[in-house]
């Protein structure tokens, strides 16, 4: 049993980090190791875009619901939903009002909640459930019962969103989902958007935008397109991440693309972590 | 199947593009007069009553003059958790979430000691009720940890979460719109080398963020991320580190005197 140590005025519990400054690089490096334990490595996280899918209504959502229902039990899935136009509107009004950046981050999650409920209403008879994102310790129960948990994507940084150079909160939904997958040791994340993946510029604005079917994190970090379909912070976080090896972007508007991605096919855009 | 969008200045932008950020943005300072104060974990709370009582006594004397928001650090129990979790090779996010329990315990203890003076324990979720608590003359006490938890990014160089209680307290000050955050530790602030290991270490009364970053010290008195945040902050541009073991330092700091060490963005 660890001892209590006194003598310098403080009462310490004996541990390798006792009395050390946790800012000391050498001390921090001691906590590193080659391996890392993976908590739920066989689960796939699927993110469904807010503006790209939900805001398009039944024509986009219902076929996706059918695709997800069809793979129930075949894969262990967690579904994350984005916010969409309501988030953009929230941010727009908030900035106009002068809401501080942390306050904006606090506000956006609420607009994702509605999409989680919409999706759940449609999938419930196929075994879905809305799961508060912090309840992932219950995932083994849900996944063993072949349930499809649906969660919101935005991370809970809330008022404590760190100031970024731009007025927009940097830690958005795509980052939130990525981080969810990473902390649970998942190997892959699939984002369902309304484009067949990554392009060198926004294909909605530029007719000559080139599709990128396959790339690596290293290549992207070296030459990041200015207009990105995913949060920039996702790639930042991926640099030091250990578990997610593959981020795939598919179009939810192309029937069957998600199913193929789940089966391991390299459709859409596949970004591999690579030897970084 | 067109997208049903709501018209707004941001309706069609990619929120990820840096060039999408050209608004006329003047953020409001929500409660700039609040004194956001960190009570150190290892430096003060782990010392027990010998350090804690005098610190709390000084704060209580000031409570009618200022709005005090007390945020607690972690300390040795958090270190023990990080140590065990790192040994089990668990991800950084797990360390961050578990480490968060300790400052909450500390905040609860401080609340019990300050209850008769109006101390109340608040959670991150209660943050929006601060105006009520101050109007009633309370001293709100909360964790210093930010709520990132499992969403804390994997460490660059090891498993210790980068955003701990210094970061949390800074971010609290920043979102409230307070210019300065006060950290009560057990030293007069920053020194050229660790004064606990070198009794002749030279004290630094004031230093800029840029200079501190440039010095690239192996060890720092404040979490590294805070220096980066200070560079981008809109409101909180000053950190003051004072010695809670010296009677009067806290009182002086609350009065706006530049005691201890000031880390400022110039």
């Amino acid at each position: 049993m660890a001892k209590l140590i006194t003598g310098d005025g403080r009462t310490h519990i004996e541990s390798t980090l006792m009395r050390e400054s946790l800012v000391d690089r050498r001390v921090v490096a001691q906590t590193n190791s080659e391996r890392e334990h993976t908590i739920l490595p066989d689960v796939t996280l699927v993110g469904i875009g807010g503006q790209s899918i939900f805001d398009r209504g039944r024509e986009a959502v219902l076929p996706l619901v059918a695709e997800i229902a069809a793979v129930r039990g075949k894969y262990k899935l967690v579904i994350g939903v984005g916010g969409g136009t309501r988030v953009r509107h929230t941010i727009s009004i908030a900035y106009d009002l002068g809401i501080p950046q942390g306050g904006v981050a606090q506000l956006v999650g609420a607009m994702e909640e509605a999409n989680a409920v919409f999706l759940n209403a449609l999938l419930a008879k196929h075994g879905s459930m809305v799961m508060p994102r912090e309840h992932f310790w219950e995932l083994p129960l849900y996944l063993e019962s072949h349930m499809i948990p649906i969660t919101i994507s935005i991370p809970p940084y809330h008022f404590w969103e760190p100031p970024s150079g731009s007025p927009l909160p940097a830690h958005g939904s795509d980052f939130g989902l990525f981080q969810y997958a990473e902390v649970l040791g998942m190997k892959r994340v699939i984002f369902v958007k309304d484009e067949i993946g990554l392009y060198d510029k926004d294909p909605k604005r530029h007719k000559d935008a080139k599709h990128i079917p396959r790339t690596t994190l290293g290549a992207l970090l070296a030459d990041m397109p200015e207009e990105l379909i995913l949060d920039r912070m996702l790639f930042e976080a991926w640099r030091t991440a250990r578990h997610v090896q593959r981020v795939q972007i598919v179009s939810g508007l192309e029937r069957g693309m998600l199913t193929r991605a789940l089966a391991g096919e390299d459709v859409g855009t596949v970004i591999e972590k690579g030897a970084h | 199947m067109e997208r049903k969008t709501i018209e707004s200045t941001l309706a069609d932008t990619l929120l990820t593009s840096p060039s999408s950020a050209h608004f006329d943005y003047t953020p409001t300072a929500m409660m700039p007069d609040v004194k956001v104060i960190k009570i150190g974990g290892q430096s003060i709370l782990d010392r027990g009553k010998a350090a804690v009582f005098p610190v709390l006594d000084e704060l209580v004397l000031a409570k009618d003059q200022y709005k005090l928001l007390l945020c607690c650090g972690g300390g040795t129990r958090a270190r023990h958790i990080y140590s065990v979790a790192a040994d089990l090779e668990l991800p950084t996010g797990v360390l961050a979430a578990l480490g968060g329990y300790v400052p909450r315990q500390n905040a609860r203890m401080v609340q019990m000691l300050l209850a008769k003076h109006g101390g109340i324990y608040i959670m991150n979720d209660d943050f929006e009720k601060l105006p009520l608590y101050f109007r009633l003359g309370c001293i709100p006490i909360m964790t210093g940890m930010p709520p990132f938890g499992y969403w804390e990014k994997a460490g660059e160089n090891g498993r210790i979460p980068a955003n701990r209680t210094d970061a949390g307290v800074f971010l609290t000050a920043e979102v409230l719109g307070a210019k300065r955050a006060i950290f009560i530790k057990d030293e007069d602030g920053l020194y050229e080398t660790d004064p606990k290991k070198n009794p002749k270490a030279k004290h630094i009364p004031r230093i800029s963020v840029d200079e501190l970053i440039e010095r690239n010290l192996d060890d720092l008195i404040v979490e590294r991320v805070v220096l980066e945040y200070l560079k981008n902050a809109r409101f909180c541009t000053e950190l003051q580190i004072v010695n809670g073991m010296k009677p009067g330092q806290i009182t002086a700091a609350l009065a706006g005197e530049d005691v201890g060490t000031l880390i400022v963005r110039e």
Side-chain angles (χ1 to χ4, degrees), chain A residues 36-141:
Chain A
E36 185 160 276
H37 176 74
T38 49
I39 297 173
L40 289 174
D42 302 326
V43 179
T44 302
L45 196 37
V46 175
I48 304 198
Q51 188 154 271
S52 44
I53 302 295
F54 285 99
D55 287 343
R56 291 181 186 277
R58 55 190 294 117
E59 277 187 55
V61 177
L62 293 185
L64 258 183
V65 166
E67 259 188 82
I68 296 168
V71 297
R72 180 198 179 180
K74 198 164 175 209
Y75 306 103
K76 291 187 175 169
L77 293 183
V78 174
I79 308 218
V81 300
T85 197
R86 292 186 299 276
V87 168
R88 278 159 180 70
H89 188 266
T90 303
I91 297 178
S92 204
I93 298 285
Y95 278 114
D96 190 66
L97 293 173
I99 302 293
Q101 191 175 55
V104 177
Q106 176 79 10
L107 292 170
V108 297
M111 297 295 93
E112 293 187 337
E113 299 277 4
N115 288 339
V117 171
F118 291 145
L119 184 61
N120 193 55
L122 298 167
L123 263 178
K125 60 172 164 287
H126 303 288
S128 69
M129 48 175 290
V130 179
M131 181 184 81
R133 64 191 159 211
E134 299 82 2
H135 288 208
F136 44 66
W137 295 126
E138 290 151 30
L139 276 173
L141 170 65

Side-chain angles (χ1 to χ4, degrees), chain B residues 42-194:
Chain B
Q42 187 161 256
S43 49
I44 301 290
L45 292 153
D46 286 343
R47 289 180 181 277
K49 66 176 182 245
V52 175
F53 283 11
V55 165
L56 296 187
D57 286 345
E58 240 183 284
L59 289 167
V60 166
L61 283 175
K63 72 168 268 270
D64 292 325
Q65 228 185 318
Y66 310 103
K67 297 181 169 80
L68 304 174
L69 173 58
L70 305 183
C71 308
C72 290
T76 200
R77 295 188 300 283
R79 273 163 182 64
H80 190 265
I81 287 176
Y82 295 148
S83 196
V84 173
D87 183 62
L88 292 173
E89 300 185 310
L90 291 172
T92 302
V94 176
L95 273 75
L98 297 180
Y101 283 99
V102 177
R104 290 198 287 273
Q105 281 182 312
N106 286 339
R108 291 194 135 104
M109 285 195 273
V110 171
Q111 185 277 325
M112 292 182 221
L113 295 171
L114 290 182
K116 56 169 129 353
H117 302 288
I120 57 168
Y121 173 76
I122 68 164
M123 295 177 287
N124 293 108
D125 285 351
D126 300 321
F127 198 67
E128 288 148 310
K129 300 195 188 70
L130 282 176
L132 169 67
Y133 302 146
F134 286 127
R135 202 164 278 227
L136 293 171
C138 292
I139 307 171
I141 305 153
M142 63 186 285
T143 178
M145 211 56 186
F148 305 169
Y150 297 100
W151 284 263
E152 172 74 54
K153 287 172 246 183
E156 190 88 52
N157 175 37
R159 298 190 152 89
I160 304 293
N163 291 277
R164 297 186 308 281
T165 49
D166 291 342
V169 176
F170 163 81
L171 292 168
T172 298
E174 170 66 6
V175 77
L176 286 176
K179 184 166 184 199
R180 188 181 280 199
I182 299 171
F183 289 13
I184 303 173
K185 302 218 177 205
D186 59 357
E187 268 145 27
D188 287 328
L190 193 60
Y191 288 76
E192 301 275 347
T193 53
D194 186 353

Side-chain angles (χ1 to χ4, degrees), chain A residues 2 37 61 73 89 106 112 140 164-165 170-172 188 196 236 251 260:
Chain A
H37 176 74
V61 177
H89 188 266
Q106 176 79 10
E112 293 187 337
S164 60
H171 298 86
R188 62 176 185 162
I196 57 164
E236 257 313 296
S251 173
R260 293 169 66 196

